[in-house]
Amino acid sequence: MNSQESTTTSTTRPVLFQFWCDYYELCKPRVVALLVFTAIIGMFLATPGMVPFDALIFGTLGIGLASASAAAINQVVDQKIDADMNRTKNRPLPSGNLTNKQALLFSIGLGVVAMFILVVWVNVLTAVLTFFSLIGYAVIYTMYLKRATPQNIVIGGAAGAAPPVLGWTAVTGQADPHSLLLFLIIFAWTPPHFWALAIHRRDEYAKVDIPMLPVTHGIEFTRLQVLLYTIILTAVTLLPFVTGMSGLIYLGGTILLDAVFLYYAIRMQSGKDERIAMKTFSYSILYLMLLFALLLIDHYFRFNLGSF
């Protein structure tokens, strides 16, 4: 290989790498990873044994691609807002790395492939519920609720709470009441999780005229809502044990997780530590991951009061 060919290859590879990285970032991979994780837990909780291989692989792939499609559409719609916020200004669309057409075609392609996979290799119910979840986040929340009401994240949280139900239906072909408990946990978790971030980023949301709760009702009111919703979350997370879905392993771990979450929510009330809102937000992500991990561990290694 001569020097010219070497130079061409060395410059092409970084360009191609950046190209694929931009599409990858368009999918909000960290958010999608958490959604897929809860969907997989839903699959395992739906059966006493091992999840059927086809449901695990194709269900995970279909739900993941649909979530990525919704995330990409969200970025297409919000690109002007993203350009004015420090947290999002370097995303692929505001930075000019991708065009609207590229992003939109990519998001539609992901959605079509996701629906095809779910209909052909999983089941129609999962495909239909996944489609409604995609529409709920990408259209109803992103295009309307986000700009219409400070309760946007409460109402729109239903779409983000759907993955464990989707995982459950991917295995069983039907929605079980226990799967709805998983939905309820994430639904109650979303407001304190997101409002903690909104408090930290309140000036940026105000700048782009998005009516997040700390912008419309003030920080003190939002702190109180974080605490109240954390109390609601604590009660909701006890329901799997109360209904017999989970045992003592889950109960013990959840009480500890809830205690820490309440500690952060109570500390937020003083307003003395500016960093506590972001610490609460960071903990809330770890909280949800550990909570669902406890559900899985308890599912396969359960012992309860009757064991003694």
mmCIF file of all heavy atoms in Angstrom, residues 197-232:
data_model
loop_
_atom_site.group_PDB
_atom_site.id
_atom_site.type_symbol
_atom_site.label_atom_id
_atom_site.label_comp_id
_atom_site.label_asym_id
_atom_site.label_seq_id
_atom_site.Cartn_x
_atom_site.Cartn_y
_atom_site.Cartn_z
ATOM 1 N N LEU A 197 -33.914 15.739 37.742
ATOM 2 C CA LEU A 197 -33.103 16.279 36.642
ATOM 3 C C LEU A 197 -33.616 17.648 36.216
ATOM 4 O O LEU A 197 -32.820 18.565 35.937
ATOM 5 C CB LEU A 197 -33.138 15.317 35.450
ATOM 6 C CG LEU A 197 -32.429 15.800 34.180
ATOM 7 C CD1 LEU A 197 -30.930 15.945 34.412
ATOM 8 C CD2 LEU A 197 -32.694 14.841 33.017
ATOM 9 N N ALA A 198 -34.931 17.808 36.158
ATOM 10 C CA ALA A 198 -35.525 19.081 35.728
ATOM 11 C C ALA A 198 -35.148 20.218 36.672
ATOM 12 O O ALA A 198 -34.958 21.366 36.238
ATOM 13 C CB ALA A 198 -37.041 18.945 35.630
ATOM 14 N N ILE A 199 -35.055 19.928 37.971
ATOM 15 C CA ILE A 199 -34.619 20.948 38.928
ATOM 16 C C ILE A 199 -33.196 21.393 38.603
ATOM 17 O O ILE A 199 -32.886 22.578 38.595
ATOM 18 C CB ILE A 199 -34.708 20.404 40.374
ATOM 19 C CG1 ILE A 199 -36.172 20.283 40.799
ATOM 20 C CG2 ILE A 199 -33.943 21.315 41.344
ATOM 21 C CD1 ILE A 199 -36.360 19.601 42.146
ATOM 22 N N HIS A 200 -32.343 20.437 38.339
ATOM 23 C CA HIS A 200 -30.950 20.740 38.014
ATOM 24 C C HIS A 200 -30.834 21.518 36.705
ATOM 25 O O HIS A 200 -29.957 22.386 36.571
ATOM 26 C CB HIS A 200 -30.156 19.432 37.923
ATOM 27 C CG HIS A 200 -28.705 19.621 37.637
ATOM 28 N ND1 HIS A 200 -27.810 20.105 38.568
ATOM 29 C CD2 HIS A 200 -27.983 19.397 36.500
ATOM 30 C CE1 HIS A 200 -26.602 20.170 38.033
ATOM 31 N NE2 HIS A 200 -26.682 19.749 36.786
ATOM 32 N N ARG A 201 -31.720 21.211 35.744
ATOM 33 C CA ARG A 201 -31.659 21.831 34.416
ATOM 34 C C ARG A 201 -32.754 22.876 34.209
ATOM 35 O O ARG A 201 -33.079 23.219 33.076
ATOM 36 C CB ARG A 201 -31.797 20.751 33.346
ATOM 37 C CG ARG A 201 -30.716 19.687 33.369
ATOM 38 C CD ARG A 201 -29.397 20.223 32.867
ATOM 39 N NE ARG A 201 -28.379 19.181 32.785
ATOM 40 C CZ ARG A 201 -27.133 19.388 32.375
ATOM 41 N NH1 ARG A 201 -26.768 20.601 31.993
ATOM 42 N NH2 ARG A 201 -26.263 18.397 32.347
ATOM 43 N N ARG A 202 -33.294 23.410 35.293
ATOM 44 C CA ARG A 202 -34.459 24.291 35.188
ATOM 45 C C ARG A 202 -34.201 25.510 34.312
ATOM 46 O O ARG A 202 -35.084 25.931 33.548
ATOM 47 C CB ARG A 202 -34.899 24.731 36.582
ATOM 48 C CG ARG A 202 -33.836 25.494 37.363
ATOM 49 C CD ARG A 202 -34.222 25.675 38.823
ATOM 50 N NE ARG A 202 -33.214 26.384 39.596
ATOM 51 C CZ ARG A 202 -32.131 25.822 40.125
ATOM 52 N NH1 ARG A 202 -31.924 24.524 39.939
ATOM 53 N NH2 ARG A 202 -31.263 26.524 40.828
ATOM 54 N N ASP A 203 -33.012 26.094 34.391
ATOM 55 C CA ASP A 203 -32.715 27.294 33.606
ATOM 56 C C ASP A 203 -32.715 26.994 32.111
ATOM 57 O O ASP A 203 -33.160 27.821 31.300
ATOM 58 C CB ASP A 203 -31.362 27.883 34.015
ATOM 59 C CG ASP A 203 -31.382 28.443 35.434
ATOM 60 O OD1 ASP A 203 -32.482 28.794 35.906
ATOM 61 O OD2 ASP A 203 -30.311 28.512 36.057
ATOM 62 N N GLU A 204 -32.240 25.819 31.749
ATOM 63 C CA GLU A 204 -32.217 25.449 30.335
ATOM 64 C C GLU A 204 -33.630 25.207 29.812
ATOM 65 O O GLU A 204 -33.959 25.592 28.686
ATOM 66 C CB GLU A 204 -31.352 24.203 30.131
ATOM 67 C CG GLU A 204 -29.871 24.451 30.408
ATOM 68 C CD GLU A 204 -29.015 23.282 29.971
ATOM 69 O OE1 GLU A 204 -29.358 22.635 28.970
ATOM 70 O OE2 GLU A 204 -28.009 23.005 30.643
ATOM 71 N N TYR A 205 -34.477 24.564 30.618
ATOM 72 C CA TYR A 205 -35.860 24.361 30.187
ATOM 73 C C TYR A 205 -36.601 25.692 30.079
ATOM 74 O O TYR A 205 -37.424 25.884 29.173
ATOM 75 C CB TYR A 205 -36.586 23.422 31.158
ATOM 76 C CG TYR A 205 -36.219 21.975 30.991
ATOM 77 C CD1 TYR A 205 -35.601 21.250 32.025
ATOM 78 C CD2 TYR A 205 -36.487 21.298 29.796
ATOM 79 C CE1 TYR A 205 -35.259 19.913 31.873
ATOM 80 C CE2 TYR A 205 -36.154 19.959 29.638
ATOM 81 C CZ TYR A 205 -35.536 19.280 30.677
ATOM 82 O OH TYR A 205 -35.199 17.955 30.509
ATOM 83 N N ALA A 206 -36.319 26.596 30.984
ATOM 84 C CA ALA A 206 -36.942 27.920 30.912
ATOM 85 C C ALA A 206 -36.497 28.663 29.654
ATOM 86 O O ALA A 206 -37.290 29.349 29.009
ATOM 87 C CB ALA A 206 -36.589 28.728 32.156
ATOM 88 N N LYS A 207 -35.238 28.492 29.302
ATOM 89 C CA LYS A 207 -34.673 29.167 28.136
ATOM 90 C C LYS A 207 -35.374 28.757 26.849
ATOM 91 O O LYS A 207 -35.587 29.573 25.950
ATOM 92 C CB LYS A 207 -33.182 28.848 28.048
ATOM 93 C CG LYS A 207 -32.470 29.445 26.848
ATOM 94 C CD LYS A 207 -31.004 29.026 26.845
ATOM 95 C CE LYS A 207 -30.283 29.549 25.614
ATOM 96 N NZ LYS A 207 -28.857 29.095 25.584
ATOM 97 N N VAL A 208 -35.752 27.477 26.747
ATOM 98 C CA VAL A 208 -36.392 26.984 25.525
ATOM 99 C C VAL A 208 -37.910 26.904 25.664
ATOM 100 O O VAL A 208 -38.594 26.325 24.815
ATOM 101 C CB VAL A 208 -35.821 25.602 25.127
ATOM 102 C CG1 VAL A 208 -34.352 25.721 24.775
ATOM 103 C CG2 VAL A 208 -36.017 24.575 26.245
ATOM 104 N N ASP A 209 -38.447 27.467 26.761
ATOM 105 C CA ASP A 209 -39.891 27.593 26.961
ATOM 106 C C ASP A 209 -40.611 26.245 27.031
ATOM 107 O O ASP A 209 -41.699 26.074 26.477
ATOM 108 C CB ASP A 209 -40.510 28.449 25.838
ATOM 109 C CG ASP A 209 -41.864 29.026 26.245
ATOM 110 O OD1 ASP A 209 -42.080 29.208 27.448
ATOM 111 O OD2 ASP A 209 -42.696 29.263 25.345
ATOM 112 N N ILE A 210 -39.977 25.286 27.708
ATOM 113 C CA ILE A 210 -40.624 24.002 27.967
ATOM 114 C C ILE A 210 -41.191 24.047 29.385
ATOM 115 O O ILE A 210 -40.459 24.300 30.338
ATOM 116 C CB ILE A 210 -39.621 22.835 27.832
ATOM 117 C CG1 ILE A 210 -39.139 22.722 26.395
ATOM 118 C CG2 ILE A 210 -40.257 21.525 28.277
ATOM 119 C CD1 ILE A 210 -40.217 22.362 25.397
ATOM 120 N N PRO A 211 -42.504 23.822 29.543
ATOM 121 C CA PRO A 211 -43.149 24.017 30.862
ATOM 122 C C PRO A 211 -42.907 22.870 31.845
ATOM 123 O O PRO A 211 -43.857 22.236 32.329
ATOM 124 C CB PRO A 211 -44.632 24.121 30.483
ATOM 125 C CG PRO A 211 -44.764 23.237 29.288
ATOM 126 C CD PRO A 211 -43.479 23.422 28.508
ATOM 127 N N MET A 212 -41.639 22.610 32.144
ATOM 128 C CA MET A 212 -41.349 21.620 33.175
ATOM 129 C C MET A 212 -41.759 22.172 34.541
ATOM 130 O O MET A 212 -41.774 23.379 34.755
ATOM 131 C CB MET A 212 -39.866 21.255 33.163
ATOM 132 C CG MET A 212 -39.433 20.463 31.941
ATOM 133 S SD MET A 212 -40.328 18.889 31.837
ATOM 134 C CE MET A 212 -39.726 18.266 30.268
ATOM 135 N N LEU A 213 -42.077 21.289 35.450
ATOM 136 C CA LEU A 213 -42.656 21.691 36.733
ATOM 137 C C LEU A 213 -41.839 22.741 37.483
ATOM 138 O O LEU A 213 -42.420 23.705 38.007
ATOM 139 C CB LEU A 213 -42.867 20.454 37.611
ATOM 140 C CG LEU A 213 -43.813 20.637 38.797
ATOM 141 C CD1 LEU A 213 -45.222 20.974 38.321
ATOM 142 C CD2 LEU A 213 -43.836 19.369 39.654
ATOM 143 N N PRO A 214 -40.502 22.634 37.575
ATOM 144 C CA PRO A 214 -39.753 23.669 38.301
ATOM 145 C C PRO A 214 -39.790 25.027 37.604
ATOM 146 O O PRO A 214 -39.579 26.056 38.247
ATOM 147 C CB PRO A 214 -38.333 23.115 38.357
ATOM 148 C CG PRO A 214 -38.265 22.101 37.278
ATOM 149 C CD PRO A 214 -39.629 21.525 37.168
ATOM 150 N N VAL A 215 -40.092 25.039 36.301
ATOM 151 C CA VAL A 215 -40.202 26.300 35.564
ATOM 152 C C VAL A 215 -41.553 26.950 35.830
ATOM 153 O O VAL A 215 -41.643 28.166 36.048
ATOM 154 C CB VAL A 215 -40.013 26.071 34.045
ATOM 155 C CG1 VAL A 215 -40.240 27.367 33.267
ATOM 156 C CG2 VAL A 215 -38.628 25.505 33.754
ATOM 157 N N THR A 216 -42.617 26.151 35.832
ATOM 158 C CA THR A 216 -43.968 26.710 35.962
ATOM 159 C C THR A 216 -44.406 26.901 37.412
ATOM 160 O O THR A 216 -45.189 27.802 37.720
ATOM 161 C CB THR A 216 -44.991 25.798 35.260
ATOM 162 O OG1 THR A 216 -44.957 24.497 35.868
ATOM 163 C CG2 THR A 216 -44.672 25.681 33.776
ATOM 164 N N HIS A 217 -43.926 26.039 38.308
ATOM 165 C CA HIS A 217 -44.406 26.076 39.696
ATOM 166 C C HIS A 217 -43.300 26.330 40.724
ATOM 167 O O HIS A 217 -43.583 26.397 41.925
ATOM 168 C CB HIS A 217 -45.107 24.759 40.052
ATOM 169 C CG HIS A 217 -46.435 24.586 39.393
ATOM 170 N ND1 HIS A 217 -46.566 24.370 38.026
ATOM 171 C CD2 HIS A 217 -47.706 24.589 39.895
ATOM 172 C CE1 HIS A 217 -47.844 24.242 37.720
ATOM 173 N NE2 HIS A 217 -48.557 24.375 38.826
ATOM 174 N N GLY A 218 -42.079 26.467 40.254
ATOM 175 C CA GLY A 218 -40.990 26.773 41.165
ATOM 176 C C GLY A 218 -40.290 25.536 41.704
ATOM 177 O O GLY A 218 -40.828 24.426 41.695
ATOM 178 N N ILE A 219 -39.100 25.765 42.205
ATOM 179 C CA ILE A 219 -38.257 24.661 42.669
ATOM 180 C C ILE A 219 -38.792 24.056 43.961
ATOM 181 O O ILE A 219 -38.812 22.832 44.130
ATOM 182 C CB ILE A 219 -36.808 25.153 42.861
ATOM 183 C CG1 ILE A 219 -36.229 25.614 41.519
ATOM 184 C CG2 ILE A 219 -35.939 24.052 43.465
ATOM 185 C CD1 ILE A 219 -34.874 26.252 41.634
ATOM 186 N N GLU A 220 -39.234 24.881 44.879
ATOM 187 C CA GLU A 220 -39.713 24.379 46.167
ATOM 188 C C GLU A 220 -40.911 23.443 45.987
ATOM 189 O O GLU A 220 -40.987 22.372 46.610
ATOM 190 C CB GLU A 220 -40.088 25.540 47.082
ATOM 191 C CG GLU A 220 -40.475 25.115 48.489
ATOM 192 C CD GLU A 220 -40.720 26.290 49.415
ATOM 193 O OE1 GLU A 220 -40.336 27.430 49.052
ATOM 194 O OE2 GLU A 220 -41.295 26.063 50.493
ATOM 195 N N PHE A 221 -41.833 23.843 45.129
ATOM 196 C CA PHE A 221 -43.001 23.010 44.854
ATOM 197 C C PHE A 221 -42.575 21.690 44.216
ATOM 198 O O PHE A 221 -43.112 20.619 44.551
ATOM 199 C CB PHE A 221 -43.975 23.741 43.932
ATOM 200 C CG PHE A 221 -45.203 22.961 43.577
ATOM 201 C CD1 PHE A 221 -46.288 22.919 44.439
ATOM 202 C CD2 PHE A 221 -45.287 22.265 42.372
ATOM 203 C CE1 PHE A 221 -47.428 22.190 44.113
ATOM 204 C CE2 PHE A 221 -46.422 21.537 42.044
ATOM 205 C CZ PHE A 221 -47.497 21.501 42.917
ATOM 206 N N THR A 222 -41.620 21.753 43.301
ATOM 207 C CA THR A 222 -41.157 20.544 42.614
ATOM 208 C C THR A 222 -40.459 19.601 43.579
ATOM 209 O O THR A 222 -40.630 18.381 43.508
ATOM 210 C CB THR A 222 -40.210 20.912 41.461
ATOM 211 O OG1 THR A 222 -40.843 21.872 40.605
ATOM 212 C CG2 THR A 222 -39.860 19.684 40.636
ATOM 213 N N ARG A 223 -39.672 20.162 44.496
ATOM 214 C CA ARG A 223 -39.028 19.324 45.520
ATOM 215 C C ARG A 223 -40.077 18.557 46.323
ATOM 216 O O ARG A 223 -39.899 17.369 46.632
ATOM 217 C CB ARG A 223 -38.197 20.195 46.463
ATOM 218 C CG ARG A 223 -36.954 20.804 45.861
ATOM 219 C CD ARG A 223 -36.089 21.365 46.986
ATOM 220 N NE ARG A 223 -35.020 22.193 46.471
ATOM 221 C CZ ARG A 223 -34.907 23.500 46.674
ATOM 222 N NH1 ARG A 223 -35.821 24.143 47.382
ATOM 223 N NH2 ARG A 223 -33.886 24.176 46.178
ATOM 224 N N LEU A 224 -41.151 19.245 46.688
ATOM 225 C CA LEU A 224 -42.220 18.597 47.442
ATOM 226 C C LEU A 224 -42.845 17.472 46.620
ATOM 227 O O LEU A 224 -43.141 16.394 47.157
ATOM 228 C CB LEU A 224 -43.285 19.624 47.836
ATOM 229 C CG LEU A 224 -44.508 19.069 48.580
ATOM 230 C CD1 LEU A 224 -44.092 18.386 49.876
ATOM 231 C CD2 LEU A 224 -45.518 20.186 48.838
ATOM 232 N N GLN A 225 -43.056 17.709 45.331
ATOM 233 C CA GLN A 225 -43.633 16.681 44.467
ATOM 234 C C GLN A 225 -42.709 15.467 44.354
ATOM 235 O O GLN A 225 -43.172 14.323 44.302
ATOM 236 C CB GLN A 225 -43.918 17.256 43.079
ATOM 237 C CG GLN A 225 -44.975 18.347 43.053
ATOM 238 C CD GLN A 225 -46.282 17.895 43.674
ATOM 239 O OE1 GLN A 225 -46.865 16.904 43.247
ATOM 240 N NE2 GLN A 225 -46.730 18.621 44.687
ATOM 241 N N VAL A 226 -41.415 15.713 44.315
ATOM 242 C CA VAL A 226 -40.447 14.612 44.278
ATOM 243 C C VAL A 226 -40.603 13.749 45.530
ATOM 244 O O VAL A 226 -40.627 12.514 45.455
ATOM 245 C CB VAL A 226 -39.004 15.144 44.167
ATOM 246 C CG1 VAL A 226 -37.988 14.020 44.403
ATOM 247 C CG2 VAL A 226 -38.768 15.773 42.796
ATOM 248 N N LEU A 227 -40.736 14.395 46.673
ATOM 249 C CA LEU A 227 -40.905 13.660 47.928
ATOM 250 C C LEU A 227 -42.219 12.882 47.942
ATOM 251 O O LEU A 227 -42.247 11.698 48.306
ATOM 252 C CB LEU A 227 -40.868 14.631 49.112
ATOM 253 C CG LEU A 227 -41.118 14.009 50.500
ATOM 254 C CD1 LEU A 227 -40.098 12.916 50.808
ATOM 255 C CD2 LEU A 227 -41.107 15.090 51.581
ATOM 256 N N LEU A 228 -43.312 13.526 47.543
ATOM 257 C CA LEU A 228 -44.611 12.863 47.561
ATOM 258 C C LEU A 228 -44.649 11.673 46.614
ATOM 259 O O LEU A 228 -45.177 10.596 46.963
ATOM 260 C CB LEU A 228 -45.717 13.864 47.194
ATOM 261 C CG LEU A 228 -45.947 15.000 48.201
ATOM 262 C CD1 LEU A 228 -47.009 15.960 47.685
ATOM 263 C CD2 LEU A 228 -46.334 14.444 49.564
ATOM 264 N N TYR A 229 -44.088 11.850 45.426
ATOM 265 C CA TYR A 229 -44.074 10.740 44.473
ATOM 266 C C TYR A 229 -43.124 9.634 44.912
ATOM 267 O O TYR A 229 -43.346 8.456 44.599
ATOM 268 C CB TYR A 229 -43.702 11.230 43.073
ATOM 269 C CG TYR A 229 -44.900 11.647 42.251
ATOM 270 C CD1 TYR A 229 -45.332 12.968 42.225
ATOM 271 C CD2 TYR A 229 -45.614 10.709 41.511
ATOM 272 C CE1 TYR A 229 -46.442 13.345 41.481
ATOM 273 C CE2 TYR A 229 -46.722 11.085 40.765
ATOM 274 C CZ TYR A 229 -47.125 12.392 40.751
ATOM 275 O OH TYR A 229 -48.235 12.753 40.021
ATOM 276 N N THR A 230 -42.081 9.978 45.641
ATOM 277 C CA THR A 230 -41.186 8.947 46.178
ATOM 278 C C THR A 230 -41.906 8.128 47.236
ATOM 279 O O THR A 230 -41.716 6.903 47.331
ATOM 280 C CB THR A 230 -39.916 9.583 46.772
ATOM 281 O OG1 THR A 230 -39.268 10.380 45.768
ATOM 282 C CG2 THR A 230 -38.942 8.510 47.236
ATOM 283 N N ILE A 231 -42.755 8.769 48.029
ATOM 284 C CA ILE A 231 -43.566 8.046 49.009
ATOM 285 C C ILE A 231 -44.545 7.106 48.292
ATOM 286 O O ILE A 231 -44.731 5.941 48.685
ATOM 287 C CB ILE A 231 -44.331 9.034 49.915
ATOM 288 C CG1 ILE A 231 -43.344 9.821 50.788
ATOM 289 C CG2 ILE A 231 -45.348 8.297 50.790
ATOM 290 C CD1 ILE A 231 -43.979 10.952 51.572
ATOM 291 N N ILE A 232 -45.160 7.615 47.223
ATOM 292 C CA ILE A 232 -46.062 6.777 46.419
ATOM 293 C C ILE A 232 -45.291 5.595 45.837
ATOM 294 O O ILE A 232 -45.757 4.443 45.863
ATOM 295 C CB ILE A 232 -46.702 7.604 45.286
ATOM 296 C CG1 ILE A 232 -47.671 8.634 45.869
ATOM 297 C CG2 ILE A 232 -47.427 6.697 44.286
ATOM 298 C CD1 ILE A 232 -48.206 9.620 44.854
#
